[in-house]
Amino acid sequence: MHTMPGIGSGGDGMTGLYVRGGSPDQNLILLDGAPVYNVNHLFGFLSVFNAEAIKSATVLKGGFPARYGGRLSSVLDIQMKEGNSNETHGMASVGLLSSQIAVEGPINEKTSYLLSLRRAYFDLVMWPMCKLADIRDGVGKTSAGYHFTDINAKINHRFNAKNQMFASFYSGLDKFRSSNKFPSGGYDVNDKFKLNWQNQTATLRYNRTISNRLFMNTSLIYSRYKYYTRSSVRYDYFKSDSYKYSSAKGASALQDMAAKVDLDWYPAEKHIVKIGTSITRHQFSPEQSSYESAYSKYVTAVADTTYGTEKIKSSDFSAYIEDDWSMSKHLKANIGVRCTLFSVEGRNYTDIEPRASLCYLLTDNMSIKAAYSKMTQYVHLVSNSSVGMPTDQWLPSTKKTKPETSNQLSLGFQYNTPDCEFTAEGFYKTMDNLIEYAEGASYSSYQNWEEKLTSGQGKAYGLEFMAKKSNGRTTGWVSYTLSWSNRKFAGLNNGERFPFKYDRRHDISIVAMHKLSKKWEVSANWNISNGNHITIPIARYTDIDGDAAIAYSKRNEYRMPLYHRLDISANLNRQKRRGIATWSFGVYNVYARQNPLYIYADSETNEYLGESRYFLKKVSALTIVPTVSYIFRF
């Protein structure tokens, strides 16, 4: 997805999608109809979606059909495999990063299944690294571990020719821990940290053929995202029963339960009408934090204080109708409208979202298209950090925080040949009621989070080009995006308009795949783009109290260095008696480009002159990462 025009990434090791000037929370990501709220493993380096369990993935950047809603920037609709109904197939793989197994097949003549399991084992890799660090330092004991697991399961049952049901389930769990023991100042220090986060989705769908012209899908949907974090420090005094202990815990969750009915109606040869309605019950649990401290049995003072916001419940109602209309041999249209109602804290927000897209065939190979979409978003993601973390907060619209809205216009051109496809598209999008933390504010669970936010507007526009070759021994595509994206908030940058952090003026991707022989195939991906916008310190001074202070530039006034990266891979396929064995080799960031993930201000002091020098320091997440895996398919 990151190599498509109009879709960018936040940087190395970040799987979030930044679509046409939008942020990751403005993407509606569906897995068998269930929304997924966090798509990251390994803090963003890997995706939660396992390709072995996926049947199809469709991304929409504009011209949204009325059946989709709830986000401003894009729709990523992912469908899991339904399970082979004729014979059993499967695969197993072992690699440096993770291993997995997937199997699908029939249970009986009417029922099929899919089961996929994946686990990463970075904890096994990190153990010897920690041991080497302990040997090098000679003091203390370091321990760290990280792993994740994915489970995808699906059962598909056909009652008869007109009735079918399937149930799908996904669960992904990430666990990170670290600890450090060392002596200091007459006592032993034991410092521990733990962070877990989890996605769970479940979908039960019943499909019925009412007549040759009318089909119905009824769905029950469940989705939950949660995280838990804990940090603690214990001081054990040498040769004494005395100790000092403190810890902090935090947890947050978001849960959805939904029911929906969708109808596909074919009233005439030139019309395909889709009608539907849904209701979703949201339960937001903003971070609940607890702090406790204790001393030895001789000093019994113990403090345990819990801070946090009460759970917030809300209801989301929607109804839509859309018509795929073949007006003539050359002109086709999708026209629809979506109506929404969001109820929270005794306040009802309503909106009407018109949608329209037109496609005109100039010739058999050439077409132009135009689209308009209005979108409304009732949930928001607010972040403390410059890098998306599992601890970012999902929060609802409330009496004080209004829903986000957008209006988008797009105009495109497409030309096809038997082997190639050329597209060009321009877009213009406005966004209202966007939210950010006000200047100097950050999330603090014991304070009212609504008072820390400021709302504003956004604007994005640009041109997108792509040339794609789909046939032959060599395939691939070249994409280029020229775009602008900016924001304006009353509580930020003195109310002046400023560039969006991920506004990248130029973004180029080149993807190539080539079959060298029946056994060997190679591929490469190269990307180059402008760096992210940042705010940097530009001066230091002494305030009226005589304390040292730092002055910062205007918000996002400067850019990071140019971003570019090359990835390559090669597959060796061999036919075995019971299946196909594949050795897969890859190198991420071949020439070890140190693209900065973020930049911060640091200082050093001259001991002789007693003066401090401030400078900017770049932090890169990844350099070169080699991978190898063995895959067997049967």
Side-chain angles (χ1 to χ4, degrees):
M1 299 297 178
H2 288 155
T3 63
M4 297 290 102
I7 302 177
S9 67
D12 277 340
M14 298 181 69
T15 56
L17 301 178
Y18 296 83
V19 182
R20 292 185 171 178
S23 53
D25 65 306
Q26 294 175 349
N27 305 311
L28 177 63
I29 301 176
L30 301 173
L31 181 62
D32 276 350
V36 182
Y37 286 96
N38 187 297
V39 296
N40 299 331
H41 282 315
L42 191 57
F43 302 97
F45 183 61
L46 296 176
S47 166
V48 301
F49 300 114
N50 184 355
E52 297 299 328
I54 292 176
K55 175 184 177 182
S56 65
T58 303
V59 63
L60 302 174
K61 301 177 293 183
F64 304 103
R67 60 185 178 273
Y68 295 114
R71 301 294 189 275
L72 301 189
S73 294
S74 76
V75 175
L76 179 56
D77 193 349
I78 299 173
Q79 298 294 322
M80 288 171 53
K81 293 178 180 178
E82 296 182 356
N84 194 304
S85 59
N86 298 317
E87 55 187 5
T88 300
H89 290 277
M91 63 81 64
S93 71
V94 178
L96 293 179
L97 300 179
S98 64
S99 296
Q100 61 180 307
I101 184 170
V103 62
E104 59 176 322
I107 297 177
N108 53 47
E109 60 182 11
K110 291 186 176 182
T111 309
S112 60
Y113 74 94
L114 164 75
L115 178 63
S116 174
L117 306 174
R118 180 172 64 162
R119 190 190 192 279
Y121 31 73
F122 293 91
D123 42 357
L124 301 181
V125 178
M126 296 172 74
W127 180 82
M129 296 174 62
C130 293
K131 292 299 180 183
L132 289 174
D134 291 341
I135 294 173
R136 184 183 68 247
D137 296 340
V139 178
K141 183 178 180 181
T142 304
S143 174
Y146 167 82
H147 74 271
F148 70 77
T149 56
D150 280 326
I151 302 174
N152 292 82
K154 193 169 185 176
I155 294 180
N156 182 25
H157 180 74
R158 185 178 295 275
F159 296 96
N160 50 48
K162 293 186 175 182
N163 296 275
Q164 183 178 1
M165 178 178 288
F166 75 74
S168 64
F169 171 79
Y170 166 73
S171 178
L173 174 63
D174 292 68
K175 289 188 174 183
F176 174 80
R177 60 171 179 81
S178 66
S179 66
N180 191 12
K181 296 181 180 179
F182 57 92
S184 176
Y187 49 84
D188 289 320
V189 181
N190 190 350
D191 190 353
K192 294 183 179 181
F193 177 76
K194 178 189 291 186
L195 172 62
N196 299 343
W197 66 98
Q198 182 179 35
N199 281 292
Q200 287 183 325
T201 69
T203 302
L204 179 65
R205 179 175 297 171
Y206 171 66
N207 175 268
R208 176 172 174 77
T209 302
I210 299 175
S211 69
N212 293 335
R213 295 180 178 272
L214 185 61
F215 305 87
M216 179 181 69
N217 279 293
T218 303
S219 305
L220 297 177
I221 296 170
Y222 172 84
S223 178
R224 188 185 188 197
Y225 172 68
K226 64 178 181 179
Y227 75 79
Y228 168 82
T229 179
R230 177 175 180 175
S231 60
S232 64
V233 180
R234 176 174 173 135
Y235 302 87
D236 289 291
Y237 291 91
F238 291 162
K239 299 179 182 181
S240 170
D241 292 335
S242 298
Y243 65 86
K244 183 171 63 174
Y245 172 81
S246 63
S247 72
K249 303 176 185 178
S252 180
L254 166 59
Q255 178 178 288
D256 288 351
M257 299 186 70
K260 58 184 300 188
V261 178
D262 301 283
L263 298 172
D264 291 353
W265 178 37
Y266 298 78
E269 182 180 354
K270 295 183 178 182
H271 293 270
I272 303 175
V273 179
K274 295 180 182 291
I275 306 171
T277 185
S278 67
I279 178 173
T280 303
R281 183 66 169 170
H282 304 279
Q283 180 172 286
F284 297 84
S285 300
E287 185 176 9
Q288 297 285 328
S289 301
S290 64
Y291 306 88
E292 63 180 20
S293 61
Y295 295 86
S296 68
K297 58 184 178 181
Y298 304 109
V299 182
T300 58
V302 176
D304 187 347
T305 308
T306 300
Y307 302 98
T309 325
E310 296 293 331
K311 292 181 179 179
I312 305 174
K313 296 182 179 181
S314 63
S315 298
D316 191 343
F317 306 87
S318 67
Y320 72 88
I321 181 170
E322 65 177 78
D323 183 9
D324 276 320
W325 181 13
S326 297
M327 296 181 175
S328 67
K329 180 181 178 180
H330 295 281
L331 182 60
K332 296 182 179 180
N334 182 290
I335 300 173
V337 63
R338 184 180 185 88
C339 301
T340 59
L341 167 65
F342 188 79
S343 180
V344 60
E345 297 180 338
R347 172 71 185 269
N348 293 329
Y349 290 102
T350 60
D351 211 342
I352 298 177
E353 307 170 22
R355 317 280 178 81
S357 60
L358 299 172
C359 180
Y360 185 78
L361 299 177
L362 299 171
T363 67
D364 291 340
N365 299 326
M366 193 182 305
S367 64
I368 57 174
K369 57 183 179 179
Y372 166 77
S373 298
K374 181 182 179 183
M375 308 291 280
T376 305
Q377 180 168 332
Y378 295 104
V379 296
H380 319 277
L381 184 70
V382 294
S383 173
N384 274 340
S385 63
S386 59
V387 183
M389 294 292 289
T391 53
D392 292 344
Q393 297 289 310
W394 282 98
L395 302 169
S397 298
T398 62
K399 292 180 179 180
K400 296 181 179 179
T401 306
K402 296 181 179 180
E404 302 175 25
T405 60
S406 73
N407 289 272
Q408 182 177 176
L409 288 166
S410 60
L411 179 65
F413 169 83
Q414 182 170 330
Y415 177 74
N416 296 326
T417 68
D419 295 326
C420 299
E421 173 186 322
F422 303 91
T423 60
E425 188 166 353
F427 70 93
Y428 181 86
K429 179 168 66 175
T430 60
M431 296 167 281
D432 293 301
N433 299 325
L434 303 179
I435 64 170
E436 290 281 358
Y437 282 119
E439 207 77 63
S442 62
Y443 187 86
S444 182
S445 57
Y446 53 86
Q447 296 175 338
N448 188 340
W449 55 269
E450 292 178 284
E451 302 297 332
K452 300 296 183 180
L453 301 178
T454 182
S455 63
Q457 301 171 331
K459 183 185 296 184
Y461 51 95
L463 297 171
E464 303 165 358
F465 304 90
M466 186 171 76
K468 183 178 182 180
K469 185 177 184 293
S470 303
N471 297 322
R473 295 179 62 185
T474 302
T475 59
W477 60 88
V478 178
S479 70
Y480 169 65
T481 304
L482 171 67
S483 63
W484 291 259
S485 180
N486 54 61
R487 300 285 190 268
K488 185 177 182 181
F489 290 81
L492 298 176
N493 203 47
N494 296 320
E496 298 178 3
R497 191 173 296 275
F498 59 90
F500 181 45
K501 178 181 178 180
Y502 300 102
D503 167 38
R504 294 182 172 181
R505 188 73 64 247
H506 305 279
D507 194 339
I508 301 173
S509 291
I510 302 175
V511 179
M513 294 157 283
H514 181 70
K515 292 185 178 181
L516 294 172
S517 64
K518 292 183 178 180
K519 293 183 178 181
W520 281 99
E521 54 188 16
V522 295
S523 64
N525 166 39
W526 185 68
N527 173 253
I528 183 169
S529 65
N530 293 112
N532 296 335
H533 281 274
I534 57 173
T535 306
I536 66 172
I538 56 176
R540 60 188 179 92
Y541 61 95
T542 302
D543 62 19
I544 57 175
D545 297 323
D547 298 325
I550 298 177
Y552 288 85
S553 67
K554 291 184 177 180
R555 193 175 184 90
N556 295 342
E557 187 177 10
Y558 292 86
R559 279 191 184 274
M560 286 187 179
L562 198 68
Y563 177 95
H564 52 92
R565 192 189 80 233
L566 173 66
D567 307 329
I568 62 173
S569 66
N571 290 335
L572 172 59
N573 303 303
R574 291 181 175 178
Q575 183 68 49
K576 301 293 184 179
R577 186 177 66 175
R578 296 186 178 181
I580 299 176
T582 301
W583 280 99
S584 182
F585 310 92
V587 181
Y588 178 94
N589 197 3
V590 173
Y591 48 83
R593 166 72 174 179
Q594 293 192 0
N595 294 298
L597 184 62
Y598 61 91
I599 298 176
Y600 69 95
D602 203 351
S603 64
E604 61 181 11
T605 302
N606 188 311
E607 296 181 359
Y608 298 101
L609 300 178
E611 295 180 351
S612 296
R613 182 178 68 91
Y614 290 85
F615 57 92
L616 297 179
K617 191 171 183 179
K618 302 176 184 178
V619 177
S620 299
L622 301 167
T623 53
I624 184 171
V625 182
T627 63
V628 60
S629 61
Y630 177 79
I631 307 167
F632 184 76
R633 301 183 186 277
F634 58 90

